Amino acid sequence: MNISDSLIHKLQCPKTKSRLTLKNGNFVSDSCNMYPIVDNVPILINNDNSLFSIDQYKTREISNKQTSRVKSIFHKILPEIGNNLVAEENFRKIINFAKKVKKPIVIHSRKAEKECIDVLEDEIKHKEIDVVQHCFSGKKSQMTRAIELGHYFSIPPNIIIASNFQTLVKKCPLSQLLTETDSPWLSPYKDRPNEPAFVAKTIEKIAEVKGMNVKEVEEQIWQNYLKVFKDKI
């Protein structure tokens, strides 16, 4: 069984599904590192695989040492953030937690791009931490705004067939681009699931769009990765 099959199997496991849908605080740490918001308080993973809340960190129940191995903070923004003050408040909590522990924040802002950028601009005024936009699907004006704020964009392999990612790559400086898989989704081929090997296709397409050498693009994206994540992991 390969890594993709293993992950899919785990997500489909009834036991895992039940853990991911629990509505109270009795959580087990083994759920593919996916943790919900409990009683309107964001829950994160500790370096010993236990769970803690951002509010615990604020009150020093969780020490700086215990969060030293948090690699990055990931948050998925849902469309309702625009008219849900609790969702926005939790997003702000997560951003400020990332600032406190000095870790990059990876955002999935699908269908809430404007609201997401508004909050990020308000909370990260001096580029205190790096922001990585995962699978960004906003309008051209939103691309420009996020680029100007210094955000990074991780580009998936389906850039081969997706014009929105090609447009993003045209607009964005190479120094702000990263690559990603999002396997098994976002494949460059309609009849095949995505896989990590297809990142090479992403690099090739970025080079084509930018009119650059593949090796040059490869090296710059690696340097971008080191800038964002080195000494953070």
Side-chain angles (χ1 to χ4, degrees):
M1 181 180 287
N2 61 32
I3 292 173
S4 296
D5 290 340
S6 177
L7 179 58
I8 292 168
H9 174 75
K10 189 171 184 181
L11 284 171
Q12 291 175 341
C13 170
K15 192 173 181 181
T16 297
K17 285 183 177 180
S18 69
R19 289 172 179 172
L20 291 173
T21 56
L22 285 173
K23 300 298 183 183
N24 55 49
N26 299 318
F27 292 99
V28 181
S29 64
D30 178 21
S31 292
C32 303
N33 292 341
M34 298 179 186
Y35 301 99
I37 287 175
V38 184
D39 296 329
N40 296 326
V41 177
I43 302 296
L44 298 171
I45 187 170
N46 214 335
N47 66 333
D48 61 359
N49 289 326
S50 62
L51 302 179
F52 68 97
S53 73
I54 288 178
D55 287 347
Q56 283 178 299
Y57 178 84
K58 286 181 179 178
T59 58
R60 302 298 179 184
E61 291 176 43
I62 300 297
S63 69
N64 289 335
K65 184 177 180 180
Q66 286 175 293
T67 60
S68 63
R69 288 180 58 195
V70 174
K71 294 178 178 64
S72 62
I73 311 301
F74 177 84
H75 192 52
K76 181 170 183 175
I77 308 302
L78 300 176
E80 59 263 26
I81 189 174
N83 50 30
N84 186 326
L85 294 179
V86 173
E88 181 179 325
E89 180 185 353
N90 281 324
F91 185 30
R92 291 180 185 275
K93 284 182 179 180
I94 289 169
I95 294 169
N96 281 288
F97 173 79
K99 287 165 62 177
K100 285 179 186 294
V101 296
K102 296 180 173 59
K103 303 294 181 181
I105 184 166
V106 182
I107 304 293
H108 189 187
S109 60
R110 184 179 180 185
K111 297 183 180 179
E113 291 84 5
K114 179 186 180 301
E115 293 82 1
C116 176
I117 295 171
D118 285 346
V119 174
L120 288 165
E121 183 175 22
D122 188 46
E123 293 290 346
I124 307 173
K125 299 185 188 305
H126 305 293
K127 297 184 179 180
E128 299 95 320
I129 57 172
D130 289 316
V131 176
V132 178
Q133 294 277 1
H134 154 71
C135 195
F136 188 80
S137 55
K139 300 175 181 177
K140 290 181 181 179
S141 60
Q142 293 161 350
M143 292 177 188
T144 299
R145 189 176 167 206
I147 290 167
E148 290 175 349
L149 288 172
H151 295 181
Y152 289 82
F153 299 85
S154 51
I155 308 299
N158 74 334
I159 184 179
I160 303 298
I161 56 176
S163 61
N164 62 309
F165 289 124
Q166 294 173 21
T167 298
L168 175 56
V169 165
K170 285 179 184 177
K171 293 177 70 67
C172 186
L174 184 60
S175 59
Q176 288 171 244
L177 293 179
L178 298 167
T179 55
E180 63 176 49
T181 57
D182 208 26
S183 298
W185 300 276
L186 305 185
S187 173
Y189 308 110
K190 293 182 179 180
D191 59 344
R192 295 174 62 184
N194 199 5
E195 59 182 80
F198 294 159
V199 168
K201 299 295 183 183
T202 307
I203 297 288
E204 290 172 7
K205 190 63 178 181
I206 291 173
E208 177 189 319
V209 171
K210 292 286 193 187
M212 298 175 65
N213 179 275
V214 169
K215 287 294 183 183
E216 190 178 359
V217 170
E218 204 173 70
E219 177 60 25
Q220 181 60 58
I221 288 179
W222 173 242
Q223 291 303 318
N224 297 345
Y225 169 81
L226 293 177
K227 183 176 183 297
V228 175
F229 294 105
K230 189 179 180 183
D231 301 325
K232 312 287 197 314
I233 59 176

